[in-house]
C-alpha cells in the first residue's frame, strides 16, 4: 500500500512541501530499499549512498543531454518518481559524479496538449526557508541571494528540457560545496503563463534533497558513515516530526534545517539522516514536535533547538539575543577533535584493598589565586596536573572526581544535562574540545604517577525540570515520556528523574560508561544517588534491577571499579538500601562515618565502632569482603573535617559533630588542643580500619565553610594554608598513615575479614569490653600478625590499637608481646608535633620501646607495633 508523505510545512512561508513516497521496506541482509507500487504514486531508490567528492571549482548548472537507465545504474544516488496533477510522471535522479552533484529529471506521460510545447524547468534551491530560492553562482562558494516565490511575480531560474520522442529530459550540475540543499521546481510549457504550471498531484512544487541520504539508525549521535557522509541518529519514540538544524556561527537561528521524513529517515523509534559537506557548520541540534514533553508537546517546545544526547563535544553556540537566544542552550560541536596520543598509557589497576582515595572538585581544587596557577589553568583538569606532587606527598593512589559531566553551573555538578562530554569550563578555554583534550592529558599524567582516576557519575536525574517555566535542553524536549518518570506519585524537586531501568535509558547509561572508559581511560565510577537505580519507572522497588546487573557483568567494564553511593544531592540525604552487588559493586559506607562520628563525640556504642574497624561485616559479607567498603569521615556535602570538631549547633544535629566546648572559632588553647586531637583521631581511625579510606579535598589543610553543611557554600581551597604549621603536620600525618597502610598491608589492606583467632578485644585493664554500655568509651584491639608462608624471614609483628573517647585519662596495660619482640609506640594523637607519630627512621620510636603500660589521655588514639628488638 502506498503512503504519501509530506516534507512538512515551511515555518516561515507556510508553504506545503510534499513529495510522493513509497512506504519502505529494508532487506535485513543487504539493507537495500524495496518499494511498493500503486496507481497513486511511485518511488524507487538505489541502495547505495552517493559519494562525497571534494570540489575545487564552481560550474554553472548545465543541461545533461543524456539520461538513460545506464546513467542511473552507473552512478550512486537516489531516484524519485512523482505523479503530476495531470497524471504524468516525473522521475528525478540525484547522484554524485565527476566532483559534482547531478540532478537528472525525466518527464513522461503528460497530456498531448502539454507535450506539444517545449517544457521549461522553473527551479530554485533552498535550505531553511522555501521562500529564499537560490540559483547557481560560478564565482562564489556560497549560494547567491536571489529570491524566488513561485506564486508571486518574481522569476525563478529557468532551464529548458530536451525533447526525446515521448519524454522530456534535462540535467543540472551543482558543485559539491553547494550541498546540502533542497531543489524545488515546477514545470511549464514554453510560451504559457503561470496558470499552466505543472506540479505534483497535490498541487505543490516538486522537491528533492541534494546531498542528503536516508542515513543509518546506528550508531546514535553524529558519526562518519562508510560512504563518507556524516550520519546523524536520534532516538525519539513519541516525536511526530524531527528537524535537524545546523549552525555556521553563534546565531539564534540555524543556517540549515533538514526535515526528516518519517518514512525515509526513521527506523523503528530512531530518526536518522546522512548529510554531505558539513564542513562549513560548527554546531547542530534538533527540533522535535509531538507528544514528547511535559506539557504535551506544545508549539513553544517545538521551537527549542535541542542538544543531541549522544554528542561527544558540545558548547553554547547562541549569541546574547534575548529570548531567541534562550531557545539555543547548547548544541553539539561538529569540529573534529584533535588526535590524542595514548601511546604509553597503562591503567595502574590497583587492587581494591590497596586504594587510598582523594575526592576533589576540579574547579575548587585549584581555582583560588593562592594556587599560583595561570588563569587558564586554575580550576581546570590542567590545574589538577599541576598539583599532582601534592597528591603524591599524601600517599594518594587514586582520585575521585566530583561529576565532570556537563552540568548546570547554577546548581552544581550533581545536576547534569549531558552524559558524554566533560564540562567545558574544566578545559581552560571554556570550550568543549579543549576540555576533552585536557581531561585526557590529565588522566594520562596521573596514570604515569600510579594514580587511578575514578569519576562520580549522576545518571538518576538531570537539571531539566518538568514545568512550563523550565528551560528545555535535551531529553525533556526530545522524548520526555521515554526518558523520564512522568508518574505524578514520583516527584523530585527541581529536577527530572530518569527511567534508569528502561531499556532506552539503560542503553544510554551503558554507552556513556563505555565512552568514558574507551575514550578517556578512566578507571572506575561512583554512582551517586544509587538507591534510585533500584527503582522501576513508577518508583517501585526492583529486586533485581537490570541496569545494576548489566553494569556488573558488562565485559568492557570488567576491570573498572564500580561503587554505589546512596547519597542524594536532591535533598542532601542518605537513602540506604540493600544494594545487589553480584560480587562486583563496592559501596560508599555511610554507616561508617555515622558510627565513627557518634563515638568520637561521646555517644556511640563500642560494638558499632568495632564493627566499622573490622570492615563492616554487617554490610559486606564474606562474599565480597572488607575491600568493598569505601570508608569516609567527610565528603562533598556536610561539614568539613575542621568544622566537624568546631561546630555543633542545633541546626547541625544530623551532622553528629562536636565543637569540643566552644561553638565556632576560638582562641582557648584547651579547646584547640582537643579539636586537634579529634581531627587526628578521625584520620587515624579512617586509615587503620579495614576497607578503602577516602579523604576529602582540603581536609589536610583546615578547609572550612564556616560551619555550613551545604554544598553551595563550598569555596576553592586556599593553597596558602598548606604552608601553615597546622597543615604541615596534618599533611605529614596523612602521608605517614598512607605509608603505614602500605607497609602493614597484611593487616590494613585485606581482601578478607580478620580471623577470629587473630583478634582480641579489651576494655579497661585488659578486661572484656562492655559492648552495649553507652557510658563505656574505651576500646583496645590486639591484632596478631599472620605468618607469611611465602617468606621465611617475615618480621611483621602484632599491633595494639587503643581508643579513648572519654573525658578522662585511661591507664592501659599492654598485652604481653611475643618472644623476641617489644612494643614500639607509633602513634599517640595527644602528643605535640612532631612527636605524635613515629616511623622506623624516627629515633623517637626507639625511646618508647619495651613498654608494658601506658597512660592514654582523654580523646586520644594510640598505636603500638611489636618489633624485634635489636640491642
Amino acid at each position: 500500500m502506498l503512503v504519501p508523505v509530506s516534507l512538512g510545512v515551511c515555518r516561515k512561508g507556510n508553504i506545503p512541501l510534499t513529495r510522493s513516497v513509497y512506504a519502505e521496506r529494508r532487506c535485513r541482509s543487504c539493507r537495500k530499499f524495496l518499494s511498493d507500487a500503486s496507481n497513486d504514486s511511485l518511488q524507487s531508490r538505489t541502495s547505495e549512498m552517493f559519494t562525497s567528492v571534494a570540489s575545487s571549482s564552481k560550474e554553472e548548472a548545465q543541461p545533461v543531454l543524456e539520461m538513460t537507465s545506464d546513467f542511473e545504474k552507473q552512478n550512486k544516488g537516489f531516484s524519485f518518481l512523482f505523479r503530476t496533477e495531470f497524471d504524468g510522471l516525473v522521475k528525478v535522479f540525484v547522484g554524485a559524479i565527476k566532483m559534482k552533484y547531478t540532478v537528472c529529471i525525466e518527464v513522461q506521460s503528460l497530456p498531448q496538449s502539454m507535450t506539444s510545447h517545449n517544457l521549461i524547468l522553473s527551479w530554485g534551491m533552498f535550505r531553511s526557508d522555501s521562500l529564499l530560492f537560490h540559483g547557481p553562482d560560478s564565482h562564489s562558494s556560497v549560494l547567491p541571494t536571489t529570491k524566488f516565490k513561485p506564486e508571486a511575480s518574481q522569476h525563478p531560474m529557468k532551464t529548458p528540457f530536451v525533447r526525446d520522442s515521448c519524454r522530456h529530459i534535462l540535467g543540472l550540475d551543482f558543485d559539491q560545496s553547494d550541498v546540502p540543499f533542497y531543489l524545488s521546481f515546477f514545470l511549464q510549457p514554453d510560451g504559457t503563463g503561470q496558470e499552466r504550471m505543472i506540479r505534483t498531484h497535490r498541487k505543490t512544487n516538486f522537491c528533492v534533497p541534494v546531498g542528503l541520504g536516508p542515513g543509518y539508525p546506528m550508531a546514535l549521535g553524529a558519526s562518519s558513515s562508510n560512504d563518507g557522509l556524516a550520519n546523524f541518529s536520534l532516538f525519539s519514540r513519541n516525536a511526530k516530526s524531527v528537524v535537524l538544524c545546523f549552525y555556521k556561527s553563534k546565531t539564534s537561528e540555524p543556517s540549515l534545517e533538514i526535515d526528516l521524513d518519517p518514512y525515509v529517515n526513521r527506523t523503528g523509534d530512531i530518526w536518522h539522516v546522512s548529510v554531505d559537506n558539513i564542513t562549513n557548520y560548527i554546531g547542530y541540534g534538533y527540533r522535535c514536535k509531538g507528544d514528547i514533553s511535559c506539557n504535551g508537546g506544545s508549539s513553544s517546545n517545538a521551537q527549542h533547538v535541542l542538544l543531541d544526547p549522544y554528542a561527544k563535544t558540545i558548547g553554547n553556540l547562541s549569541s546574547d539575543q534575548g529570548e531567541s537566544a534562550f531557545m539555543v542552550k547548547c548544541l553539539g560541536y561538529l569540529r573534529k577533535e584533535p588526535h590524542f596520543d595514548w601511546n604509553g598509557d597503562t591503567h595502574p589497576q590497583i587492587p581494591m584493598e590497596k586504594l587510598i582515595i582523594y575526592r576533589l572538585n576540579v574547579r575548587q581544587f585549584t581555582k583560588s589565586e593562592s594556587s599560583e596557577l595561570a588563569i587558564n589553568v586554575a580550576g581546570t583538569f590542567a590545574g589538577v596536573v599541576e598539583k599532582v606532587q601534592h597528591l603524591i606527598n599524601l600517599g594518594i593512589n587514586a582520585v575521585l572526581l566530583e561529576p565532570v559531566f556537563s552540568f548546570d553551573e547554577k546548581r552544581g555538578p550533581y545536576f547534569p544535562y549531558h552524559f558524554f562530554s566533560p564540562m567545558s569550563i574544566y578545559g581552560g578555554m571554556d570550550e568543549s574540545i579543549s576540555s576533552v583534550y585536557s581531561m585526557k592529558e590529565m588522566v594520562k599524567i596521573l596514570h604515569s604517577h600510579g594514580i587511578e582516576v575514578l569519576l562520580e557519575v549522576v545518571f538518576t536525574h538531570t537539571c531539566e525540570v518538568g514545568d512550563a517555566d523550565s528551560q528545555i535542553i535535551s531529553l525533556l524536549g526530545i522524548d520526555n515520556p521515554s526518558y523520564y518518570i512522568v508518574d505524578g506519585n514520583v516527584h523530585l524537586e527541581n529536577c527530572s528523574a530518569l527511567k534508569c531501568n528502561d531499556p532506552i535509558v539503560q542503553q544510554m547509561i551503558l554507552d556513556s560508561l563505555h565512552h568514558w572508559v574507551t575514550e578517556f581511560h578512566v578507571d572506575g565510577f561512583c554512582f551517586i544517588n544509587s538507591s534510585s537505580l533500584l527503582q522501576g519507572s513508577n518508583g517501585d522497588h526492583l529486586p533485581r534491577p537490570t541496569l545494576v546487573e548489566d553494569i556488573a557483568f558488562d565485559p568492557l567494564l570488567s576491570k573498572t571499579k564500580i561503587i554505589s553511593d546512596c547519597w542524594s544531592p536532591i535533598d542532601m540525604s542518605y537513602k540506604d538500601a540493600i544494594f545487589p552487588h553480584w560480587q562486583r559493586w563496592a559501596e560508599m559506607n555511610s554507616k561508617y562515618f555515622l558510627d565513627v562520628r557518634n563515638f568520637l563525640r561521646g555517644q556511640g556504642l563500642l560494638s558499632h565502632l568495632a564493627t566499622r574497624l573490622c570492615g563492616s561485616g554487617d554490610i559486606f559479607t564474606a562474599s565480597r569482603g572488607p575491600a568493598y567498603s569505601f570508608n569516609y569521615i567527610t565528603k562533598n556535602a556536610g561539614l568539613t573535617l575542621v568544622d566537624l570538631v568546631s561546630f555543633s549547633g542545633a541546626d547541625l544535629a544530623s551532622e553528629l559533630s562536636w565543637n569540643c566546648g566552644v561553638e565556632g572559632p576560638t582562641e582557648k588553647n584547651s579547646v584547640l588542643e582537643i579539636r586537634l586531637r579529634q581531627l587526628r583521631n578521625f584520620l587515624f581511625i579512617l586509615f587503620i580500619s579495614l576497607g578503602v579510606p577516602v579523604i576529602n579535598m582540603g581536609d589536610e589543610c583546615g578547609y572550612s565553610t564556616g560551619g555550613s553543611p551545604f554544598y553551595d557554600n563550598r569555596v576553592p581551597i586556599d593553597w596558602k594554608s598548606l604552608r601553615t604549621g597546622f597543615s604541615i603536620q596534618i599533611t605529614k600525618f596523612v602521608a605517614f598513615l598512607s605509608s603505614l597502610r602500605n607497609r602493614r598491608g597484611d593487616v590494613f589492606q585485606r581482601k578478607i575479614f580478620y580471623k577470629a583467632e587473630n583478634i582480641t578485644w579489651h576494655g579497661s585493664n585488659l578486661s572484656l569490653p562492655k559492648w552495649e554500655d553507652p557510658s563505656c568509651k574505651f576500646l583496645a584491639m590486639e591484632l596478631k600478625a599472620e605468618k607469611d608462608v611465602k617468606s621465611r624471614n617475615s618480621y611483621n609483628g602484632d599491633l595494639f590499637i587503643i581508643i579513648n573517647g572519654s573525658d578522662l585519662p585511661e591507664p592501659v596495660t599492654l598485652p604481653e608481646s611475643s618472644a623476641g619482640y617489644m612494643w614500639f609506640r607509633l602513634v599517640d594523637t595527644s602528643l605535640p608535633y612532631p612527636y605524635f607519630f613515629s616511623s622506623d627512621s624516627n629515633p623517637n620510636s626507639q625511646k618508647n620501646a619495651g613498654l608494658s603500660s601506658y597512660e592514654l589521655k582523654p580523646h586520644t588514639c594510640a598505636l603500638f607495633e611489636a618489633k624485634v628488638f635489636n640491642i
Side-chain angles (χ1 to χ4, degrees):
M1 173 178 167
L2 292 174
V3 183
V5 179
S6 172
L7 284 176
V9 177
C10 171
R11 281 165 292 282
K12 294 184 178 180
N14 199 32
I15 300 174
L17 307 172
T18 62
R19 66 169 178 259
S20 299
V21 181
Y22 287 130
E24 297 180 4
R25 304 192 308 272
R26 288 194 178 188
C27 173
R28 292 185 179 178
S29 60
C30 65
R31 301 189 61 80
K32 290 186 177 181
F33 289 96
L34 307 176
S35 302
D36 292 329
S38 80
N39 294 329
D40 288 337
S41 62
L42 296 171
Q43 179 191 33
S44 64
R45 299 181 183 273
T46 61
S47 63
E48 297 179 282
M49 297 281 196
F50 32 79
T51 307
S52 288
V53 193
S55 176
S56 60
S57 64
K58 188 92 167 188
E59 299 181 14
E60 290 189 4
Q62 297 180 8
V64 176
L65 298 181
E66 293 185 3
M67 179 175 181
T68 65
S69 59
D70 291 337
F71 177 86
E72 182 177 339
K73 292 178 181 179
Q74 293 172 6
N75 296 281
K76 298 178 181 180
F78 303 93
S79 59
F80 304 83
L81 259 148
F82 295 89
R83 183 165 60 89
T84 73
E85 56 187 317
F86 302 104
D87 292 329
L89 296 178
V90 175
K91 182 177 182 181
V92 182
F93 174 76
V94 180
I97 181 175
K98 295 181 180 179
M99 302 183 70
K100 62 173 70 72
Y101 272 89
T102 297
V103 179
C104 299
I105 303 173
E106 179 180 343
V107 182
Q108 299 177 358
S109 305
L110 287 178
Q112 181 65 33
S113 60
M114 294 185 176
T115 57
S116 60
H117 298 80
N118 291 328
L119 283 182
I120 300 296
L121 182 76
S122 297
W123 60 277
M125 303 148 59
F126 74 92
R127 286 182 173 146
S128 60
D129 187 352
S130 62
L131 293 183
L132 298 179
F133 286 85
H134 312 287
D137 182 1
S138 60
H139 304 291
S140 174
S141 60
V142 298
L143 297 177
T145 58
T146 304
K147 293 187 178 180
F148 168 37
K149 296 185 179 181
E151 72 286 357
S153 60
Q154 296 188 16
H155 299 288
M157 302 295 295
K158 294 182 181 293
T159 304
F161 279 86
V162 175
R163 188 172 182 178
D164 178 15
S165 63
C166 62
R167 61 178 182 168
H168 295 75
I169 57 177
L170 67 73
L172 302 174
D173 286 350
F174 301 94
D175 191 87
Q176 192 257 355
S177 62
D178 282 344
V179 300
F181 63 85
Y182 288 100
L183 177 67
S184 181
F185 63 90
F186 61 88
L187 311 177
Q188 191 174 7
D190 191 13
T192 63
Q194 285 196 359
E195 66 276 3
R196 296 298 304 274
M197 287 191 303
I198 302 174
R199 299 189 297 177
T200 71
H201 70 291
R202 294 177 179 173
K203 302 185 185 303
T204 59
N205 295 336
F206 300 95
C207 184
V208 294
V210 181
L212 302 173
Y216 302 99
M218 301 302 288
L220 291 172
S223 60
S224 179
S225 56
N226 293 333
D227 48 36
L229 304 183
N231 193 77
F232 297 85
S233 180
L234 176 77
F235 166 85
S236 183
R237 177 179 296 128
N238 292 290
K240 303 302 181 185
S241 66
V242 173
V243 181
L244 176 58
C245 304
F246 289 100
Y247 290 77
K248 284 187 175 180
S249 60
K250 292 189 174 183
T251 59
S252 59
E253 294 296 330
S255 303
L256 170 64
E257 296 183 18
I258 301 174
D259 290 272
L260 303 191
D261 190 317
Y263 290 91
V264 177
N265 303 110
R266 182 172 183 173
T267 303
D269 296 326
I270 298 178
W271 300 76
H272 45 83
V273 65
S274 57
V275 186
D276 194 6
N277 188 35
I278 62 170
T279 56
N280 293 328
Y281 302 100
I282 63 173
Y284 75 99
Y286 294 93
R287 298 188 199 272
C288 298
K289 189 174 182 179
D291 189 16
I292 52 180
S293 61
C294 54
N295 54 4
S298 67
S299 58
S300 61
N301 289 341
Q303 295 305 309
H304 286 81
V305 177
L306 304 166
L307 172 65
D308 181 359
Y310 276 77
K312 302 307 185 292
T313 55
I314 67 174
N316 187 351
L317 300 183
S318 62
S319 58
D320 187 11
Q321 297 180 13
E323 290 189 10
S324 61
F326 176 82
M327 296 294 186
V328 188
K329 170 66 176 180
C330 56
L331 303 171
Y333 266 135
L334 291 172
R335 291 289 179 260
K336 185 178 180 180
E337 296 179 33
H339 171 72
F340 185 82
D341 183 10
W342 283 108
N343 186 39
D345 178 67
T346 56
H347 292 269
Q349 294 186 350
I350 301 170
M352 193 100 79
E353 66 275 9
K354 296 184 180 297
L355 289 174
I356 301 174
I357 298 177
Y358 186 91
R359 180 196 281 110
L360 65 88
N361 176 287
V362 173
R363 187 75 164 171
Q364 295 173 355
F365 188 52
T366 62
K367 184 60 178 176
S368 171
E369 292 183 3
S370 61
S371 67
E372 298 181 348
L373 299 179
I375 295 178
N376 64 334
V377 174
T380 68
F381 295 123
V384 176
V385 172
E386 291 295 323
K387 298 299 182 181
V388 67
Q389 189 59 48
H390 176 67
L391 302 175
I392 295 173
N393 293 342
L394 290 172
I396 300 300
N397 58 20
V399 293
L400 175 60
L401 304 184
E402 290 186 12
V404 299
F405 294 175
S406 297
F407 59 83
D408 183 349
E409 289 190 59
K410 293 182 179 179
R411 305 180 63 193
Y414 294 97
F415 294 89
Y417 57 81
H418 196 252
F419 303 122
F420 289 85
S421 60
M423 189 66 180
S424 59
I425 59 175
Y426 293 163
M429 298 175 61
D430 198 11
E431 196 257 345
S432 182
I433 293 180
S434 171
S435 182
V436 168
Y437 190 90
S438 181
M439 181 175 177
K440 291 178 179 180
E441 191 171 48
M442 177 199 70
V443 171
K444 185 175 182 180
I445 292 175
L446 290 176
H447 281 177
S448 70
H449 290 282
I451 299 175
E452 291 193 340
V453 178
L454 313 177
L455 301 183
E456 287 188 339
V457 291
V458 181
F459 288 116
T460 57
H461 61 271
T462 72
C463 64
E464 293 185 296
V465 186
D467 58 52
D469 297 327
S470 65
Q471 183 168 348
I472 298 176
I473 303 171
S474 183
L475 302 177
L476 192 66
I478 291 172
D479 197 339
N480 178 45
S482 293
Y483 284 109
Y484 291 112
I485 297 176
V486 294
D487 190 332
N489 296 323
V490 182
H491 175 68
L492 296 182
E493 184 179 1
N494 295 327
C495 66
S496 296
L498 287 167
K499 294 180 177 179
C500 295
N501 287 288
D502 180 90
I504 296 302
V505 180
Q506 179 177 324
Q507 187 60 54
M508 179 180 67
I509 293 173
L510 287 171
D511 288 343
S512 173
L513 297 175
H514 294 165
H515 176 69
W516 292 99
V517 169
T518 58
E519 294 297 320
F520 292 89
H521 291 203
V522 301
D523 303 284
F525 304 94
C526 178
F527 293 78
I528 300 298
N529 196 23
S530 57
S531 59
S532 293
L533 299 178
L534 311 181
Q535 295 179 353
S537 298
N538 297 321
D540 51 320
H541 179 76
L542 301 177
R544 189 165 182 163
T546 55
L547 174 63
V548 175
E549 184 174 6
D550 284 354
I551 292 174
F553 293 103
D554 188 283
L556 199 57
L557 305 177
S558 62
K559 299 299 183 181
T560 64
K561 279 83 175 176
I562 51 175
I563 309 143
S564 161
D565 188 345
C566 291
W567 174 72
S568 170
I570 300 168
D571 56 8
M572 309 288 285
S573 66
Y574 292 89
K575 296 178 171 60
D576 289 335
I578 299 176
F579 203 87
H581 54 81
W582 289 279
Q583 299 182 29
R584 275 283 287 132
W585 283 84
E587 297 179 41
M588 284 289 174
N589 190 349
S590 60
K591 286 188 177 181
Y592 181 90
F593 92 90
L594 292 173
D595 287 340
V596 173
R597 285 187 183 189
N598 217 22
F599 182 83
L600 287 184
R601 71 172 182 157
Q603 298 186 22
L605 296 176
L606 293 179
S607 59
H608 292 170
L609 177 64
T611 301
R612 303 307 154 218
L613 291 172
C614 293
S616 298
D618 58 333
I619 303 173
F620 305 92
T621 59
S623 62
R624 280 192 288 179
Y628 287 83
S629 175
F630 280 54
N631 304 327
Y632 62 93
I633 302 298
T634 62
K635 61 179 309 183
N636 38 16
L639 295 177
T640 65
L641 187 58
V642 73
D643 289 348
L644 191 62
V645 299
S646 305
F647 298 90
S648 55
D651 57 329
L652 297 173
S654 62
E655 292 293 318
L656 305 182
S657 57
W658 178 45
N659 61 19
C660 302
V662 175
E663 185 71 5
T666 183
E667 295 182 358
K668 294 182 65 174
N669 288 333
S670 59
V671 174
L672 293 175
E673 182 180 346
I674 296 177
R675 288 181 179 178
L676 184 58
R677 288 186 202 174
Q678 288 287 82
L679 194 148
R680 294 170 177 173
N681 292 340
F682 277 121
L683 291 172
F684 173 76
I685 292 175
L686 177 65
F687 275 80
I688 58 96
S689 299
L690 282 187
V692 177
V694 182
I695 62 176
N696 210 50
M697 175 189 76
D699 281 348
E700 74 279 17
C701 61
Y703 178 74
S704 172
T705 60
S708 172
F710 300 110
Y711 183 86
D712 292 344
N713 292 331
R714 297 289 172 113
V715 296
I717 63 173
D718 183 2
W719 286 87
K720 291 181 181 178
S721 64
L722 284 168
R723 306 186 190 113
T724 64
F726 169 84
S727 296
I728 290 173
Q729 63 166 288
I730 295 301
T731 299
K732 289 187 176 181
F733 187 43
V734 171
F736 164 77
L737 293 173
S738 298
S739 175
L740 174 66
R741 279 186 66 88
N742 293 328
R743 182 174 65 84
R744 293 307 309 266
D746 60 313
V747 177
F748 300 126
Q749 296 177 341
R750 297 173 59 89
K751 291 183 178 180
I752 60 176
F753 294 102
Y754 295 125
K755 295 179 181 178
E757 61 268 24
N758 290 334
I759 182 170
T760 304
W761 298 100
H762 304 285
S764 298
N765 296 318
L766 298 183
S767 63
L768 292 177
K770 298 180 180 180
W771 295 114
E772 305 304 321
D773 186 347
S775 65
C776 292
K777 300 303 172 189
F778 175 82
L779 182 66
M781 178 184 185
E782 182 183 0
L783 295 171
K784 297 187 180 297
E786 297 181 17
K787 291 184 178 180
D788 187 355
V789 296
K790 297 180 180 180
S791 175
R792 296 181 180 180
N793 299 314
S794 176
Y795 294 100
N796 286 338
D798 300 341
L799 295 173
F800 189 59
I801 300 167
I802 47 181
I803 301 173
N804 181 15
S806 72
D807 298 326
L808 301 173
E810 182 73 32
V812 180
T813 300
L814 275 66
E816 184 177 350
S817 59
S818 301
Y821 284 79
M822 282 187 166
W823 290 113
F824 285 73
R825 189 192 72 212
L826 299 185
V827 176
D828 184 331
T829 59
S830 68
L831 298 178
Y833 176 75
Y835 307 111
F836 73 91
F837 65 93
S838 302
S839 62
D840 289 337
S841 60
N842 191 332
N844 291 312
S845 63
Q846 301 296 325
K847 296 180 181 179
N848 297 286
L851 295 173
S852 60
S853 63
Y854 196 80
E855 182 177 86
L856 196 64
K857 292 184 179 180
H859 306 293
T860 299
C861 297
L863 169 66
F864 295 85
E865 182 179 23
K867 298 182 180 181
V868 175
F869 183 67
N870 297 316
I871 301 177

